[in-house]
Amino acid sequence: MAQNIQWYPGHMAKAFRLMRENLSLVDLVFELVDARLPMSSRNPEVDKLIEKKPRLLVLTKADLADSKETASWKAYFEKQGLNVVVLDTRGPKTAQMMTKAAKEVLKDRIEAQETKGIKNRPIRVMLAGIPNVGKSTLLNHLVQKNVAITANKPGVTKKVAWLKTSTGLEILDSPGVLWPKFEDQKTGQRLALTGAVKDTIFAKDDAALYLLSFFREYNPQAIIDRYHLADDAFDQTDVNLLLTITEKLGFKDDYDKAAVRLLNDLRSGKLGRYTLDREHD
Ligand SMILES: Nc1nc2c(ncn2[C@@H]2O[C@H](COP(=O)(O)OP(=O)(O)OP(=O)(O)O)[C@@H](O)[C@H]2O)c(=O)[nH]1
Ligand SMILES: [Mg+2]
């Protein structure tokens, strides 16, 4: 992808300030990252902000990610001493699982409170993470009703708000925040592919070419099968491959249309499960 992708609108800077202001009220942070890009979707500014707070790293959208990769990412983070939960946020056990995990992280503190006679103090949790990672979806599951608006596009939540759950948590939803400058091109490209940055700020054909270069290495068969291509379809450049797919889809030479289809298919899981960040030990 030729262009350098960056997306840091004013509401994100404001949201970040609000997070900082509310941090002293919080017992625990759920840091949400996308299981398909556990590294690229981790906001270094959030990481720094919550440095001294107990945290639970939540790998969301695990149902869309390659489960083997997710397992090794989980082990990687646990080796760094982090508490990790792997989640399909929309699953039926989300509220139970997350409440249990939260109490586990704060076990020592809760025990200390209980010896002082303080029982069932609510646990105040801040949700943090990049846009579209599933914060509001998680909040809705925790409070067991639809209080927060969710949508499969970034930048849906614009305000912060506290909400109580029946399981003893108090949750602060927050808008997704990115950071002013991605450290490399790859990060922006991957965030664009999964839908964490606004679609209007990058070129779809560039994103589609990046997608094809990824599948060339990762799973060319998924592309061949999905678009009924010849077995040797990858014996050509990514640009020509995109043109072949465009034709196959009946879009003549409108490769932008094909690019949009590729992105939608990728995001909705029609190209199978995948993990874009695969470089770790
Ligand atoms: N497949 C899958 N989809 C999920 C999961 N969690 C959330 N989603 C979907 O991802 C989209 C974004 O979810 P939201 O909860 O709105 O994300 P958010 O982090 O609040 O986004 P912003 O408010 O824009 O920061 C929605 O379409 C959700 O249904 C998950 O674990 N798996
Ligand atoms: Mg939201």
Side-chain angles (χ1 to χ4, degrees), residues 84-95:
V84 185
V85 169
V86 171
L87 201 66
D88 170 357
T89 320
R90 303 160 315 162
K93 297 235 166 76
T94 292

Side-chain angles (χ1 to χ4, degrees), residues 8 34 38 47 54 75 95 122 124-125 167 170 203 232 243 260 271 275:
Y8 194 63
D34 188 321
D47 185 39
R124 280 161 306 187
V125 179
T167 54
E170 285 182 15
D232 61 355
L243 292 173
V260 170
L271 300 178
T275 300

